[in-house]
Amino acid sequence: MLGTMSGMEIKENLRGKRIAVGLSGGVDSSVAALLLRQAGYDVFALFMQNWHDITGTLHGECEWEEDRKVAEMVARKIGIPFEFIDLSDTYRHQVVDYMFSEYAKGRTPNPDVMCNSRIKFDAFLKAARDLGADYVATGHYCRKDVTEGPDGEPVYRILAGADGNKDQSYFLCQLTQEQLAPALFPIGDIVKPEVRRLAREAGLPSAEKKDSQGICFVGKVDLPVFLQQKLAAREGNVVEIFPDFYGRLLEEYPGYAVSSDDSEVGTAVPEACGGFCQLQPDEVKALARAYHYKESDGKKIGTHIGAQYYTIGQRKGLNIGGHREPIFVLDTSVQTNTIYVGEGHEHPGLMRRALKINADEVHWIRRDLRMVPGEVRRYLVRIRYRQPLQQASLYSLDDGMYIVFDQPQRGITPGQFAVWYAPEDLEMLGSGVILE
């Protein structure tokens, strides 16, 4: 190891360097700045404004203005310079336009992932460097260190945060080696209650500030209202799919499970494997194949305002009664403007065993560990933020990456990111956009 970039050991790396802290006005970035300042580093705060429009936002006011005031007060309290940059145009093009485009295709995007890869560690990083920064620090709950690559050059590693309840490494799953090199995560070894305690002891104005929610730099939104800025409402049918439908599917679509507790799905993963055995490519592809419903597969039970406003696994916003258990979105079709739903948390249409990522959408943070076609590895995987890590096998095939889980997964959603970690030390190695 060449050394670590967290805790007390960062001192030798950062002496004489200038550090820009992305100060958002929240407690996490405030304590990140505090720790660096207390360690004696040359630190300045850089607040970025990324959004002006309040259309569809639930707070109904320019929240960023309050955030800026708190950030300025924190900077004064800590005793570091405060700078401001407006990245609204870049954010609209790189994040919001991406959101609209994905929803229009019937996919569910993750703006927070794109915000980190295209804004915080791209446009913001460039702005910080223009102001003389050598490093950029953020309040993410994750850890970073560096090792030596096969060519003798440094290779940067990103690991899950020490606080398992707040680990935010998932949101950084699209970062590159070039972006990680100047990145610092000062609170990655600290748990959230400790962060709050440090903020209170230092008298920081952000000490009791609630964590931000919703879309990165936009906030909580009424999604249909927000999306209607570009995607017009259009009435369509809600079709219910009943559990007995899946008995006809399993031969051609073996990846659908009867429930999340099943240890066996179809015939492609025999029970004798105990959750893992190496499958043939055609078996893997069969497991990952998603079924796309037709209206004739179920019964119309209502209408909706636009298929593009709904996502797989969604419960709220359907406004359909008459069911003993909650109903959930199983699938959407923007082509026919239809959404398909099922009753109950364990509906078989919500449970699938595998997913596919197109070859051109597989991203390796550790490029030196990339898989080659035909290779199979065991990793821990999550398909959404804060989901417990799941045991899975990754298959690198000719047309992309396939992930086969030991246990069926609920709500595999096209457009979201699947992220894989090394089981030994929870190093995040790579990610990809779920195709189906």
Side-chain angles (χ1 to χ4, degrees), residues 68-379:
R68 177 176 175 171
K69 290 177 184 177
V70 174
E72 286 188 273
M73 290 190 291
V74 168
R76 283 199 298 272
K77 181 70 177 179
I78 295 174
I80 59 176
F82 180 88
E83 302 283 352
F84 171 85
I85 181 135
D86 188 340
L87 296 175
S88 299
D89 287 342
T90 304
Y91 184 83
R92 179 178 291 276
H93 294 314
Q94 294 292 331
V95 179
V96 178
D97 286 352
Y98 147 77
M99 280 184 59
F100 285 129
S101 174
E102 288 290 278
Y103 277 112
K105 297 172 186 173
R107 289 156 55 105
T108 302
N110 194 310
D112 290 317
V113 170
M114 288 303 172
C115 182
N116 281 301
S117 64
R118 299 182 181 181
I119 303 298
K120 290 181 183 177
F121 293 95
D122 192 313
F124 178 80
L125 175 59
K126 292 173 183 174
R129 282 175 165 161
D130 287 343
L131 292 170
D134 300 289
Y135 289 87
V136 164
T138 69
H140 284 99
Y141 286 87
C142 62
R143 296 168 294 148
K144 169 192 164 184
D145 69 16
V146 58
T147 187
E148 188 175 284
D151 57 359
E153 294 298 313
V155 174
Y156 300 97
R157 307 169 70 229
I158 185 165
L159 301 99
D163 189 334
N165 292 320
K166 288 291 294 181
D167 170 37
Q168 294 174 315
S169 57
Y170 177 90
F171 293 130
L172 306 180
C173 68
Q174 289 281 291
L175 295 193
T176 65
Q177 285 291 305
E178 293 73 24
Q179 291 172 312
L180 277 174
L184 299 173
F185 308 111
I187 65 170
D189 290 316
I190 308 175
V191 296
K192 184 75 177 197
E194 177 71 2
V195 168
R196 291 280 187 195
R197 185 188 68 79
L198 291 170
R200 284 192 291 268
E201 287 185 354
L204 300 184
S206 58
E208 306 302 330
K209 195 169 185 290
K210 292 182 179 180
D211 292 344
S212 60
Q213 294 182 329
I215 301 170
C216 180
F217 293 106
V218 175
K220 295 190 73 174
V221 301
D222 182 325
L223 189 61
V225 174
F226 184 79
L227 293 178
Q228 281 174 34
Q229 295 176 73
K230 287 193 175 182
L231 306 177
R234 185 163 59 98
E235 186 175 287
N237 292 334
V238 177
V239 175
E240 182 171 1
I241 306 295
F242 299 97
D244 59 4
F245 172 76
Y246 296 90
R248 294 171 275 160
L249 283 184
L250 285 182
E251 184 172 347
E252 187 177 356
Y253 295 89
Y256 286 87
V258 174
S259 79
S260 60
D261 296 326
D262 282 357
S263 61
E264 182 177 353
V265 180
T267 57
V269 183
E271 187 174 2
C273 292
F276 170 66
C277 62
Q278 187 161 329
L279 306 174
Q280 296 301 311
D282 59 338
E283 295 175 316
V284 172
K285 292 180 180 183
L287 282 174
R289 187 181 303 124
Y291 180 77
H292 299 292
Y293 302 94
K294 308 180 295 294
E295 293 199 23
S296 59
D297 293 334
K299 175 185 176 182
K300 177 184 173 182
I301 60 169
T303 61
H304 60 82
I305 61 172
Q308 67 271 22
Y309 305 142
Y310 298 87
T311 186
I312 292 173
Q314 180 176 335
R315 171 183 173 182
K316 295 181 179 180
L318 293 170
N319 300 317
I320 293 175
H323 291 75
R324 181 174 297 178
E325 296 185 62
I327 61 172
F328 297 86
V329 176
L330 307 178
D331 196 11
T332 67
S333 171
V334 295
Q335 289 75 27
T336 64
N337 195 33
T338 309
I339 65 172
Y340 298 91
V341 302
E343 182 178 3
H345 289 81
E346 299 298 324
H347 190 284
L350 287 172
M351 312 305 300
R352 290 180 51 210
R353 193 60 176 264
L355 62 85
K356 179 186 178 183
I357 300 168
N358 270 342
D360 60 354
E361 294 196 293
V362 176
H363 172 75
W364 286 94
I365 299 168
R366 287 291 303 273
R367 294 191 294 250
D368 56 316
L369 298 180
R370 282 177 292 194
M371 294 170 63
V372 299
E375 191 173 1
V376 182
R377 292 185 194 164
R378 294 283 289 171
Y379 285 131

Side-chain angles (χ1 to χ4, degrees), residues 24-37:
S24 66
V27 66
D28 299 328
S29 61
S30 299
V31 172
L34 174 70
L35 294 176
L36 291 170
R37 183 73 177 99

